[in-house]
Amino acid sequence: MADSVQEANLSREQHMAVERPEAGPAPKSAVDWGIKDLAILPGDVQKTRSLRGPKFEGLSADASTMFEDLSVTLEQVVGSNDLRPAWWLEEGAARSRAVCKIEASGVDYKGRSGTWSGSGFLVAPGILCTNHHVLNSKEVAARSRALFDFAALPDGTVRQVSTFRLRPDLLFWTSPVVATGGKGGLDVSFVAVEGEPGSAYGAIPLQRQAFVVADEDKLNIVQHPDGRLKEVAIRNNKVVFQNTQVIHYESDTEAGSSGAPVMNDGWELVALHHAAKDKSNEGIKFSAIAAALELEAQAGNAEAARLFELFGGTDELVGFFGTLGRAVAQNDSGMERVVDAYSGEDQDLDIGVWNIEWFNKRWEDKLDSVARVVVEMNLDVWVFVESSLEATEALARHLETRFQTKPWGVLASQDAASERQITTVMWNRSTVEVTAKTWPAKVERWLQVDSRQFDELGLEAIHGKVFDRYPALYEVKTKIRGMDSTFNLVPIHLKAMDEGSLRRQMAARLLAEAVAELAKDESFDTDWIIAGDANATLASGDLDPLTSAGLTALTAQDALDKQITYVKAPFKSLIDHVFISPNLVPDGRDFMIVALDRTIDRFLEVSDHRPILLRLAATGTARAEPTAGQPLTEDEVRRLSRGLRRRNEPVTGAPTMAEARARLVDRSTYYDAAADAVVREGYWNGITAGATGFTSTVTGLLKRTHSTPLSYEPSAHIYPWVDLRSNGKIQSIYSGFEATPEYFIQADAEADRLRTRAREALLESGVLESTELEAMLEAQFQYNCEHVVPQSWFNKKEPMRGDLHHLFACEPRCNSFRSNHPLVQHEFERTMQDCGRVEDETFEPKGGKGAVARATLYFMLRYPGSVGRRYAGQRLKTLLAWHEQYAPDEWEKHRNAAIYVLQGNRNPLIDFPEWALRLQFEG
């Protein structure tokens, strides 16, 4: 342990001995690295083996052994279980390389002149972390140096030491040992390092998790005690105490260990070692350091913001949003401000809206994964889509028993069997109260209507109830800063598919009128949150009635402005929406909404959908059974259908066919929906779904209008325009990897270069040029493009090979992973690889299911008989199911319009998704 020196200016709660640098002699020179000062010399084990060996001379010849007692267990764990996987040593060695010795001089944190040493470690290639009392100022840091590989070798020599200058002029952020008013600081400094040594020595990732160790767990510290060569404390190192800010442990340290990383037995960073107390040592938790950085970042500190971005994970104590939006006393600093932020739960209400995907049927498999997300997010209210009462109640019980959380309340939108998808609400009973409310009788009648009661709007291929999942009404009550706050919450899950467009419009109108109707009732609060899975983008226009009624739709732009978050970058949860009343808009008087965008890949273990999360921060009964079957009055029909567009209704002031086509050719607009609507109607003019010969008519048109067959050159068409997203990027169809068009074009150019060089070398060696040679080169040096219908199925014939409708950007690794396996939905849910899952020579893509299904169905229409029996029976049903589940979005409509311009034909499944029910697909 370090020698304890009482710090008179520490707070009463912090009578700790800071392992501070002692003013004294200069650091050891390069000639004497201090090998003899090591706790265990490299040669000690060999030299003392004879002294430590057992003495056998006194044993009798018939001395008993344990093996003679058959009741003896041959192996057992004695005391605590210290068995570790083999990788434990390798990971520890890797982590230790990022630890360095710091040699410093100047005026120390107590105002004394001298030289001293400490420990530090890299948290990024060019950023070092240590204690404030090691590097207490920019001036000291500028005069200091970091020594890496300052460590002994087994033969008693020293590794090749590398020395790096510190660059506080590039980055320096510190929190003192003792903050203003004698209160505790965080005793941490971050500083830039010249030359980015992390490229050679690695870095220890910063984690924000508060729950990374439990009492009695073991902690490991890699350090330079007393300035010696690198050592590690891995025995007798259990946790003896912890709170939200600090952790105490029994690990051995000495002066000079200050600034060392404290890691758990998974070698995850837990704390920053800095002091000793009685018979234990103390580290500052990195979750507390992250909270302090976040507070400073919110106040405009650019260096704090840069450091905060290095942290991964979530602090379970403050939840996903951390300290965002929480007020702290401005006259406090360091640890006290962190404590203020941690205790600021009464300042905000956190809400999550999540489509967990078939949680109603598969909750037993997903239960623990979903619970871990809920614990880590630490929100007050959850809205779950595709859930059930049984599943959500099981989740609440699991949270309370397995994770020891506070009690949760659960309500379901309707009384339904678990096999049926509904919405549910779960809330933390200790922070919020949620009650079910009954819609007024008039509104209830509206919610039960069937789309056929609006016949004059035009028929869809399939009609039915407007709300096939009931939009329940809940009242949410909480106290924010001691003041009662109430709002209405309506979870929604609207009809999927383009075929449901009319019903989505009706649903939006019904909800808008319901809000307007309840505004007349003084017993209802005027604040609303309508949230869930709307199955349509805002650009579709299906949800316009809600915004026309004065509600505000939170969008990706709001995420950029940090007013909402989609927990997936860059804002890919666009089929999920939140609509709020004006009082909840950030500029409103009652609430402000603050959020932060982060990507959390582990959600892939649970659902392809990501939750939308909101934080509302302050600035200033049993449900009646629904009544059905009562017809609407004529006045109600007129009111509820106001503004809904009729199917195939001519667009007022629409461009001519020639003008529309010219607008599609013009690439200054990403997707001109109005022009495309005119072209679409003109292209399919005269074709009626379900008419005699419908399929053959569609097939004939696709072939006849495929007027410009293109060669297979993705760099000429796919990357520059066809596959472009609205943000100017290209996205790999299976993995979701995103990059600029230039990245994909350059990668294909490099593949061409490698093909050419390999071809020339093979020809020079006597190999004859042939189709087999070209096939081998293509397989070896692949383009970043996927044929959704594999080329081997049609022997690379044209025009199939260059048909843009089934070509998508895709990294070669995913292309190779898929091989030429047919697309299927695997029966059991298992964790997918980054590209998807391959089983029994079949492939289930991780992403892009709707798009690849429509591309395959197009191919079967355009080239009948080309895929054989590969998509028959259940496999065809799978394609149709994906087509229904994942409706075409703006990107697919843009693709369709761009391909029409380039090669002349269109994909009917994008233009009229409902036609899938009437078309016959031949293998």
Side-chain angles (χ1 to χ4, degrees), residues 396-676:
R397 290 193 302 270
H398 191 70
L399 287 164
E400 294 164 17
T401 57
R402 170 73 172 81
F403 292 93
Q404 304 297 305
T405 66
K406 294 179 180 178
W408 292 87
V410 174
L411 283 173
S413 60
Q414 60 200 93
D415 185 11
S418 291
E419 288 73 22
R420 183 178 178 186
Q421 294 178 355
I422 62 173
T423 62
T424 57
V425 175
M426 187 178 77
W427 68 95
N428 184 340
R429 291 183 181 275
S430 65
T431 61
V432 68
E433 177 186 351
V434 178
T435 56
K437 299 189 73 172
T438 303
W439 292 100
K442 177 188 290 188
V443 174
E444 184 62 43
R445 290 175 58 249
W446 298 348
L447 300 182
Q448 300 301 321
V449 300
D450 189 287
S451 58
R452 281 166 288 202
Q453 296 187 45
F454 299 82
D455 283 341
E456 72 277 9
L457 292 176
L459 296 177
E460 294 189 302
I462 299 176
H463 261 282
K465 289 185 66 173
V466 171
F467 288 104
D468 50 352
R469 284 101 170 182
Y470 185 77
L473 172 63
Y474 303 99
E475 183 178 70
V476 181
K477 290 184 178 181
T478 189
K479 285 187 180 293
I480 296 186
R481 298 199 182 183
M483 298 180 62
D484 290 331
S485 300
T486 304
F487 63 88
N488 299 308
L489 172 66
V490 181
I492 59 172
H493 188 190
L494 302 185
K495 179 65 180 174
M497 298 177 57
D498 195 52
E499 167 267 314
S501 174
L502 178 58
R503 273 178 281 173
R504 283 195 296 272
Q505 295 176 62
M506 292 178 181
R509 169 59 60 201
L510 290 166
L511 289 170
E513 293 298 333
V515 170
E517 191 68 23
L518 265 63
K520 304 173 185 177
D521 188 339
E522 293 182 358
S523 67
F524 280 85
D525 192 85
T526 57
D527 293 333
W528 290 82
I529 294 180
I530 300 174
D533 199 338
N535 274 306
T537 62
L538 295 176
S540 70
D542 288 355
L543 309 174
D544 287 351
L546 284 169
T547 53
S548 299
L551 295 174
T552 298
L554 300 179
T555 65
Q557 184 57 49
D558 294 301
L560 290 172
D561 295 337
K562 294 189 176 179
Q563 305 301 337
I564 187 176
T565 182
Y566 296 95
V567 190
K568 185 179 182 182
F571 320 128
K572 296 174 185 173
S573 299
L574 293 182
I575 64 168
D576 299 307
H577 293 293
V578 176
F579 293 86
I580 59 177
S581 54
N583 282 349
L584 296 182
V585 176
D587 293 333
R589 293 171 297 173
D590 296 334
F591 291 97
M592 67 176 188
I593 298 179
V594 293
L596 189 66
D597 181 71
R598 298 176 188 160
T599 299
I600 301 182
D601 292 334
R602 60 187 165 280
F603 281 112
L604 288 173
E605 300 174 2
V606 184
S607 169
D608 283 342
H609 293 269
R610 271 47 170 186
I612 296 178
L613 308 179
L614 304 96
R615 167 166 285 180
L616 304 182
T619 57
T621 319
R623 181 182 301 107
E625 287 299 316
T627 56
Q630 301 179 26
L632 300 177
T633 65
E634 291 184 7
D635 286 342
E636 285 179 316
V637 171
R638 281 194 295 270
R639 174 180 179 180
L640 300 178
S641 62
R642 186 179 72 251
L644 302 184
R645 63 182 185 274
R646 290 180 173 82
R647 190 167 182 79
N648 297 329
E649 180 181 23
V651 181
T652 304
T656 65
M657 185 66 174
E659 291 170 339
R661 197 178 188 286
R663 279 161 57 170
L664 293 184
V665 172
D666 180 8
R667 297 188 180 184
S668 61
T669 300
Y670 175 70
Y671 176 63
D672 190 328
D676 193 35

Side-chain angles (χ1 to χ4, degrees), residues 84-229:
R84 292 294 177 268
W87 60 257
W88 188 85
L89 293 172
E90 299 170 4
E91 188 70 9
R95 288 283 188 264
S96 72
R97 296 210 70 206
V99 179
C100 65
K101 177 183 177 181
I102 297 175
E103 295 184 342
S105 62
V107 178
D108 71 7
Y109 79 109
K110 298 197 72 175
R112 305 169 301 181
S113 297
T115 61
W116 60 91
S117 69
S119 301
F121 57 98
L122 293 166
V123 296
I127 299 177
L128 185 74
C129 179
T130 187
N131 289 140
H132 169 86
H133 73 263
V134 175
L135 298 177
N136 58 291
S137 67
K138 285 188 174 182
E139 291 73 23
V140 166
R143 299 177 59 176
S144 300
R145 60 178 186 163
L147 281 63
F148 288 88
D149 262 353
F150 186 63
L153 289 166
D155 63 1
T157 61
V158 177
R159 292 181 180 276
Q160 183 66 44
V161 180
S162 298
T163 304
F164 294 84
R165 290 178 53 217
L166 305 184
R167 293 292 306 273
D169 55 315
L170 300 179
L171 181 143
F172 186 78
W173 186 90
T174 192
S175 175
V177 177
V178 180
T180 307
K183 297 179 180 179
L186 293 165
D187 193 14
V188 59
S189 291
F190 292 93
V191 63
V193 187
E194 189 171 70
E196 295 198 341
S199 59
Y201 298 101
I204 301 177
L206 290 169
Q207 292 292 327
R208 195 176 183 181
Q209 265 81 13
F211 302 147
V212 285
V213 291
D215 293 346
E216 303 293 320
D217 277 2
K218 302 295 182 65
L219 296 177
N220 308 304
I221 304 179
V222 183
Q223 55 192 297
H224 287 276
D226 201 28
R228 296 194 299 270
L229 299 173

Side-chain angles (χ1 to χ4, degrees), residues 357 608 733-734 823-826 832 837 843-856 878-879 881-883 885-886 892:
E357 288 188 300
D608 283 342
I733 188 63
Y734 298 141
L823 305 169
V824 301
Q825 179 77 46
H826 290 135
M832 286 193 174
R837 183 167 58 240
F843 174 68
E844 180 183 352
K846 180 176 142 184
K849 288 181 177 177
V852 299
R854 279 180 284 277
T856 305
T878 294
L879 295 179
W882 289 352
H883 164 66
Q885 184 177 0
Y886 305 101
E892 264 195 275

Side-chain angles (χ1 to χ4, degrees), residues 821-886:
H821 301 320
L823 305 169
V824 301
Q825 179 77 46
H826 290 135
E827 181 178 358
F828 300 106
E829 259 198 9
R830 299 190 181 95
T831 301
M832 286 193 174
Q833 302 296 323
D834 193 28
C835 306
R837 183 167 58 240
V838 171
E839 289 182 10
D840 300 326
E841 296 187 343
T842 61
F843 174 68
E844 180 183 352
K846 180 176 142 184
K849 288 181 177 177
V852 299
R854 279 180 284 277
T856 305
L857 293 170
Y858 157 85
F859 198 93
M860 295 169 71
L861 291 170
R862 172 65 181 88
Y863 309 102
S866 58
V867 301
R869 297 289 298 168
R870 294 180 179 91
Y871 290 119
Q874 183 56 49
R875 291 181 182 177
L876 177 59
K877 291 179 181 178
T878 294
L879 295 179
L880 293 170
W882 289 352
H883 164 66
E884 177 180 358
Q885 184 177 0
Y886 305 101

Side-chain angles (χ1 to χ4, degrees), residues 12-25:
R12 181 171 300 173
E13 295 80 8
Q14 284 192 314
H15 290 309
M16 305 292 293
V18 175
E19 290 171 344
R20 66 182 188 279
E22 295 290 348

